[in-house]
Amino acid sequence: MAIERTFSIIKPDATRRNLTGKINAKLEDAGLRIVAQRRIQMSQAQAESFYGVHKERPFFGSLVSFMTSGPVVVQVLEGENAVAKNREVMGATNPENADAGTIRKEFAESIEANSVHGSDSPENAAIEIAYFFAGSDIVG
């Protein structure tokens, strides 16, 4: 199995409810290492650029508003098949469809306020990591 890195965001709904530690524990219990982490307030421009792939989608405006509504925790996770492992631990985007024990099943408030974001491929993980972190920020 390949050791790889993925990108994760703990979203404003989760930081508002002080769930960062509980979410980090789930990630670490699944065998992922947090090799970079920063709590930030995403600007409108950052959110619009980061989610630019969704610009033409009807939910784009509400997504940007939500992601700028409070602090987020951006992270780089490392482990065996980290992208797939993180997506497994997060659970389905819609918390109603998420498996028991996943982050979204336990903590999400809605399909939008679903507590976490995770990269969907190693290629996108590299792009998303570089958006928020310099190579020297990642230690582990």
Side-chain angles (χ1 to χ4, degrees):
M1 293 199 166
I3 298 294
E4 63 186 15
R5 289 181 174 160
T6 192
F7 179 74
S8 173
I9 301 176
I10 300 176
K11 294 181 177 180
D13 63 297
T15 62
R16 177 177 36 81
R17 292 177 291 143
N18 205 31
L19 296 173
T20 302
K22 289 179 181 179
I23 291 171
N24 283 346
K26 284 192 166 290
L27 296 169
E28 291 178 332
D29 288 348
L32 295 166
R33 292 183 57 213
I34 301 165
V35 294
Q37 180 172 254
R38 180 181 309 124
R39 184 179 178 98
I40 64 168
Q41 176 71 48
M42 214 183 289
S43 71
Q44 180 91 11
Q46 275 181 311
E48 286 175 351
S49 177
F50 184 76
Y51 288 106
V53 66
H54 300 302
K55 190 171 183 110
E56 302 304 319
R57 309 285 292 272
F59 59 82
F60 180 73
S62 66
L63 174 61
V64 169
S65 293
F66 170 63
M67 292 302 292
T68 59
S69 69
V72 299
V73 176
V74 292
Q75 303 175 307
V76 179
L77 308 175
E78 184 177 81
E80 289 185 7
N81 296 313
V83 172
K85 177 59 70 177
N86 185 43
R87 295 190 69 74
E88 179 184 317
V89 174
M90 288 190 311
T93 302
N94 183 342
E96 292 181 14
N97 300 332
D99 290 338
T102 62
I103 292 168
R104 290 176 173 156
K105 189 64 160 187
E106 291 190 20
F107 303 128
E109 296 178 319
S110 69
I111 197 166
E112 182 175 71
N114 63 11
S115 300
V116 286
H117 161 88
S119 301
D120 62 3
S121 69
E123 296 77 22
N124 282 338
I127 293 166
E128 292 177 342
I129 289 167
Y131 190 84
F132 288 100
F133 293 97
S136 60
D137 294 330
I138 304 169
V139 296

